[in-house]
Amino acid sequence: MKNTDTTPLPDDIESLKKLVLSLQDESKKYQQLYYETLEKWQLALRQRFAASSEGYQGQGELFNEAEEQLTPSEEEVAAEETITYTRKKTRRPSLAAELPREEVLHDLDEADKVCDDCGNDLHRMGEEVSEKLEFIPATVKVIRHIRPKYSCRCCEQKATQTTIKIAPVPASILPKSIATPTLLAQIITAKYQFGLPLYRQEALFKSFGIELHRQTMSRWLIKLGLQLEPLYERMHELLLKQPALWSDDTPVKVLDVDKTQCTMWVYGCGGDKPIPIGNSPPLPNIVFYDYQDGRGGLHPNHFLSGYTGLLQVDGYAGYHKTQATLAGCWAHARRKFMDAKAVQPKGKTGRADQALNLIQKLYGVEKQLNQATVKEKQALRQTEAVPIMQQLKAWLDKTAQQVPPKSTIGAAVHYTLNQWDKLQVYLEQGEAAIDNNRAERAIKPFVIGRKNWLFSNTRSGARASALLYSLIETAKANGIQPSIYLTALFEQLPHCKENNKLDHLLPWAIKF
């Protein structure tokens, strides 16, 4: 039987008006919820299928207003139409001049070195040279350490005790193992620099006729972590003496830790490569990974204990517990507006374009500061970036009152306003960058490697990984090939008697 019961409508007009108004308000709420859900769906599609790029089409003209980038009318398009295309020119890969060369001469036979017309001898007028790259596969060999034993023949016959002399065992980074510095350097760089897991390396060594199990290599790495701990802590001490740092983090899965999310933090100073300052040697670039069992704010607070300098970070609230001066990241704010731009109607200019245009002006100022000193950066930012920031702040305050806070553009506006104090710090601090992209580039090798090995088995393994990543990425940041640095380090470390005198083994100071 069909239920025909309905809620009776009021009879008086005033009550009906109130009911209609309440239904209209409810309809607006559902409409807004629909648009918010639609934007989230569009963003999810973009993140899943679209190209991963933060490029903004207005970057080439940083100082054009968004209002000037209007779509041309059909008449304008019809009046002038130019059809152009570009063709990629094939470019041969360049071969470094320092690579060894082997010359192969392709000459004519002596009988052919005569003129076909008159029969006279030909003279050499020049030559054509082409180069090809030869790859020589890695070679392995066994080094036999032979220590002759010596004894006294006379004592053997007459004395009750015979002294036997033998040369001491050569110092080794891993005593009583078959590992040499070059082998260890190969294993470490293959895993941590090129993302090759140990089980694949096991198969690789097997192709050379070497039975080297992944469990053995894993034990070696953990033992190396213990040996290198004093050097790792020394890098930590030197890092905290720098005037400006940056930091980021990423999750990592550790099987024997009873937590849903463990974290690999990265801290550092400097850039991607050494930059000389006048006649002085370049300042060291340090990249330091720190494994922790969680992501709470107590971890950066403990790591940065006593540090009161500048710290460039993203919007994570856990950094607020530190004593550092926090500088924000304009790249994170820009990404929010890029998301808002992605859900705009195609071909239309909206609020997101206005914000992106102003942000790109800030980046345009930074492009002029590549070779500037700290004081020059601060001065130019005050004269050129501050007015842009004031214009952007006024636009944010106005727009915040006009857009729903849960919409994509509203979320971008409110995120930027909430981070505003930190986003302004770089204007006063010449040591700071406009964004935290250097930290994101530093964490990227770990993220790429994680896609191959997926997880760490133990906490000690994760900590050893943090240490070895720190050495490799610091070597790269100082212009040193990691395999060369690690080989030299493993050769020299066993001869160091005191753990408190290791500065000469740091990546930027070691002698080869």
Side-chain angles (χ1 to χ4, degrees):
M1 182 176 179
K2 187 177 180 180
N3 186 5
T4 57
D5 293 341
T6 58
T7 303
L9 296 173
D11 296 327
D12 59 293
I13 295 176
E14 293 300 324
S15 298
L16 284 171
K17 287 181 178 180
K18 292 180 180 179
L19 179 60
V20 170
L21 291 174
S22 64
L23 290 174
Q24 288 177 340
D25 291 340
E26 190 171 353
S27 174
K28 291 179 181 179
K29 291 180 182 178
Y30 281 109
Q31 186 180 28
Q32 183 60 41
L33 180 61
Y34 164 77
Y35 285 118
E36 291 173 3
T37 306
L38 180 63
E39 287 182 347
K40 291 178 181 178
W41 176 72
Q42 289 174 327
L43 284 177
L45 285 179
R46 178 173 176 266
Q47 293 170 357
R48 179 65 180 85
F49 299 108
S52 178
S53 173
E54 294 185 9
Y56 176 53
Q57 63 182 2
Q59 286 182 349
E61 300 175 355
L62 299 176
F63 293 92
N64 287 347
E65 294 295 335
E67 292 78 9
E68 296 176 3
Q69 300 177 4
L70 299 176
T71 304
S73 65
E74 295 182 1
E75 292 80 5
E76 291 173 329
V77 174
E80 183 177 350
E81 182 178 7
T82 303
I83 300 175
T84 62
Y85 69 94
T86 58
R87 177 182 297 167
K88 290 186 178 180
K89 183 179 179 180
T90 303
R91 186 178 67 86
R92 291 172 62 88
S94 60
L95 301 178
E98 59 268 19
L99 289 175
R101 257 68 174 177
E102 177 183 332
E103 294 187 353
V104 179
L105 183 64
H106 305 277
D107 203 354
L108 295 173
D109 293 335
E110 290 299 325
D112 293 330
K113 296 180 181 180
V114 295
C115 179
D116 293 335
D117 295 328
C118 65
N120 289 320
D121 292 338
L122 300 178
H123 72 279
R124 183 168 176 172
M125 57 173 289
E127 62 186 15
E128 287 189 7
V129 179
S130 62
E131 293 187 331
K132 294 182 180 296
L133 186 62
E134 179 84 1
F135 178 76
I136 303 174
T139 58
V140 293
K141 64 181 179 180
V142 177
I143 300 176
R144 300 184 69 223
H145 294 270
I146 302 171
R147 296 185 298 142
K149 296 180 179 180
Y150 297 92
S151 66
C152 176
R153 183 72 67 184
C154 180
C155 292
E156 288 178 357
Q157 298 174 354
K158 299 180 179 179
T160 58
Q161 183 177 356
T162 303
T163 301
I164 298 176
K165 290 187 176 182
I166 187 173
V169 177
S172 174
I173 188 73
L174 291 179
K176 299 181 180 180
S177 75
I178 65 171
T180 61
T182 54
L183 178 61
L184 294 172
Q186 166 61 29
I187 295 171
I188 292 169
T189 54
K191 178 176 181 179
Y192 297 108
Q193 186 178 3
F194 300 110
L196 192 64
L198 295 181
Y199 76 91
R200 293 183 190 169
Q201 294 195 54
E202 180 181 348
L204 180 63
F205 283 115
K206 192 172 183 180
S207 69
F208 287 101
I210 304 170
E211 189 174 347
L212 188 55
H213 297 291
R214 70 194 80 171
Q215 293 84 357
T216 301
M217 291 185 280
S218 179
R219 286 195 296 270
W220 286 352
L221 297 183
I222 292 176
K223 288 180 179 178
L224 280 175
L226 297 176
Q227 294 259 27
L228 296 170
E229 188 72 26
L231 187 67
Y232 182 66
E233 292 300 329
R234 180 56 179 159
M235 286 178 61
H236 184 190
E237 294 173 8
L238 294 175
L239 181 67
L240 296 185
K241 294 180 180 180
Q242 307 304 315
L245 305 180
W246 36 258
S247 178
D248 201 1
D249 65 277
T250 190
V252 59
K253 185 179 293 185
V254 181
L255 296 184
D256 73 346
V257 177
D258 188 21
K259 284 196 175 183
T260 56
Q261 179 174 314
C262 301
T263 304
M264 186 68 78
W265 301 80
V266 65
Y267 305 88
C269 64
D272 299 282
K273 57 184 179 181
I275 301 176
I277 303 175
N279 296 324
S280 304
L283 296 174
N285 297 323
I286 302 176
V287 181
F288 194 96
Y289 288 81
D290 179 47
Y291 165 76
Q292 295 295 338
D293 288 342
R295 195 177 181 248
L298 66 128
H299 299 303
N301 186 39
H302 175 73
F303 182 90
L304 297 166
S305 178
Y307 181 75
T308 57
L310 187 72
L311 180 64
Q312 193 109 35
V313 294
D314 55 20
Y316 177 51
Y319 292 110
H320 294 167
K321 297 180 180 180
T322 67
Q323 299 174 287
T325 300
L326 301 182
C329 175
W330 271 107
H332 279 75
R334 181 173 59 181
R335 286 173 201 153
K336 304 289 184 182
F337 287 105
M338 289 296 293
D339 289 343
K341 178 178 172 59
V343 299
Q344 288 179 174
K346 289 186 177 180
K348 299 296 182 181
T349 299
R351 288 188 172 96
D353 295 277
Q354 299 176 40
L356 287 170
N357 186 267
L358 291 171
I359 293 173
Q360 286 309 127
K361 288 183 179 182
L362 295 176
Y363 275 88
V365 174
E366 293 302 302
K367 284 187 176 181
Q368 307 173 47
L369 304 176
N370 290 335
Q371 304 297 326
T373 64
V374 170
K375 291 184 178 180
E376 290 171 345
K377 288 180 180 180
Q378 183 176 351
L380 191 62
R381 287 169 178 171
Q382 289 295 313
T383 57
E384 295 195 19
V386 167
I388 301 172
M389 292 280 281
Q390 293 172 346
Q391 184 181 357
L392 179 56
K393 181 62 164 60
W395 181 88
L396 290 168
D397 291 335
K398 179 181 178 181
T399 307
Q401 307 299 321
Q402 299 172 342
V403 296
K406 291 187 178 181
S407 64
T408 309
I409 185 65
V413 169
H414 285 87
Y415 173 86
T416 307
L417 287 173
N418 291 337
Q419 297 289 317
W420 190 255
D421 289 341
K422 289 189 287 185
L423 291 172
Q424 290 190 100
V425 169
Y426 89 102
L427 298 174
E428 301 288 344
Q429 302 282 348
E431 298 91 348
I434 191 173
D435 55 39
N436 200 32
N437 283 350
R438 176 64 186 98
E440 295 187 0
R441 291 194 299 274
I443 202 74
K444 192 174 182 179
F446 178 84
V447 175
I448 294 174
R450 185 181 58 196
K451 292 181 180 179
N452 291 299
W453 44 260
L454 300 179
F455 57 84
S456 293
N457 285 317
T458 63
R459 182 184 284 109
S460 59
R463 181 164 176 81
S465 295
L467 187 154
L468 294 171
Y469 266 115
S470 299
L471 295 179
I472 287 176
E473 293 304 316
T474 300
K476 288 166 57 179
N478 288 278
I480 302 169
Q481 189 173 332
S483 60
I484 295 177
Y485 166 69
L486 292 175
T487 300
L489 174 63
F490 298 153
E491 289 173 347
Q492 298 177 30
L493 183 61
H495 301 284
C496 293
K497 304 299 182 182
E498 300 180 35
N499 286 337
N500 60 347
K501 295 182 179 180
L502 299 174
D503 286 10
H504 65 287
L505 297 179
L506 293 166
W508 58 88
I510 197 166
K511 303 297 182 182
F512 302 105

